[in-house]
Amino acid sequence: SQDLEALHHELSKIPPSQWPPGVAEDLNCLLQQHETETLRTRLETSLYEYVKAAWPIIESALFVDNWHISLICNHLQAVTENHIPKLLINIPPGCSKSLLVSVFWPTWEWAINPSIRFFYASYDQRLSTRDSVKCRALINSPWYQNIWKDKFSLVHDANQKTYYETSAGGYRLATSVGGHGTGEHPDRLV
């Protein structure tokens, strides 16, 4: 980072027309990599920051911040960091609980540790499938892939709406009442 800044400072003293061939392209590439790494570090450090950045990728409605969003993110992050072993969230419908818990949280955790296994169950299979599809769409988005493509990929022969696996051994299973559930050994049961 400091070396890159020093190089940029030194090059700024020379008119670009006098730079050796390819230096401008190489410098732009290095600066872009540095920006991506800085962004990646910031987003991996805070679920709340990740949610704010990822929101427009998956949701057409404008992100409207409120105290409960940062509170839920902080509690989910505490689960990730093993500070809270079991978490119950009771808030009214329409407060983004499904997006936070079932879409943003697993994609954020996989950015850090793609071997985590998720088991999602709902009273309604349509809701479980809806959130699973949104989660997968976020992972496949150019935004997510630009930042975390080197961490994992989704396994092609295990990539369905309600079940998909990562190349690192993680999975996300979405089921409902009367659906599949036995025999799985998830890290996260939601």
Side-chain angles (χ1 to χ4, degrees):
S1 172
Q2 290 176 343
D3 292 339
L4 183 60
E5 290 172 13
L7 174 63
H8 187 261
H9 179 72
E10 289 301 315
L11 284 173
S12 67
K13 297 175 185 177
I14 305 168
S17 60
Q18 295 178 6
W19 291 358
V23 169
E25 293 82 10
D26 291 346
L27 181 60
N28 284 336
C29 183
L30 287 171
L31 288 171
Q32 189 174 22
Q33 287 174 352
H34 175 68
E35 288 175 11
T36 300
E37 278 304 312
T38 302
L39 176 65
R40 179 176 174 162
T41 300
R42 182 173 61 87
L43 298 180
E44 287 179 3
T45 305
S46 169
L47 174 58
Y48 178 62
E49 291 298 321
Y50 173 83
V51 166
K52 291 190 299 183
W55 186 275
I57 307 303
I58 209 69
E59 188 58 38
S60 60
L62 184 64
F63 176 75
V64 179
D65 203 357
N66 201 345
W67 64 269
H68 75 282
I69 293 177
S70 64
L71 187 71
I72 292 171
C73 288
N74 290 341
H75 280 74
L76 290 169
Q77 186 163 339
V79 171
T80 298
E81 296 168 350
N82 296 316
H83 299 299
I84 297 177
K86 294 181 181 181
L87 178 63
L88 176 64
I89 301 173
N90 283 321
I91 58 173
C95 292
S96 302
K97 180 176 68 248
S98 293
L99 278 173
L100 295 172
V101 175
S102 302
V103 178
F104 294 120
W105 184 43
T107 58
W108 177 74
E109 279 206 303
W110 273 350
I112 299 165
N113 180 1
S115 68
I116 296 175
R117 299 166 302 189
F118 293 94
F119 184 98
Y120 282 87
S122 173
Y123 71 94
D124 185 344
Q125 183 65 50
R126 289 175 300 161
L127 293 176
S128 197
T129 302
R130 175 200 69 189
D131 294 339
S132 182
V133 168
K134 283 185 177 186
C135 184
R136 185 177 63 178
L138 180 54
I139 291 166
N140 288 328
S141 73
W143 175 82
Y144 193 94
Q145 289 298 308
N146 182 51
I147 302 170
W148 290 288
K149 67 181 168 226
D150 64 319
K151 286 283 209 161
F152 72 94
S153 60
L154 295 179
V155 177
H156 294 292
D157 61 350
N159 188 358
Q160 303 165 17
K161 285 184 178 182
T162 58
Y163 180 82
Y164 39 91
E165 296 176 4
T166 71
S167 56
Y171 66 78
R172 188 188 195 288
L173 172 63
T175 191
S176 184
V177 176
H180 172 76
T182 58
E184 303 297 332
H185 303 284
D187 301 303
R188 303 282 185 252
L189 182 57
V190 183

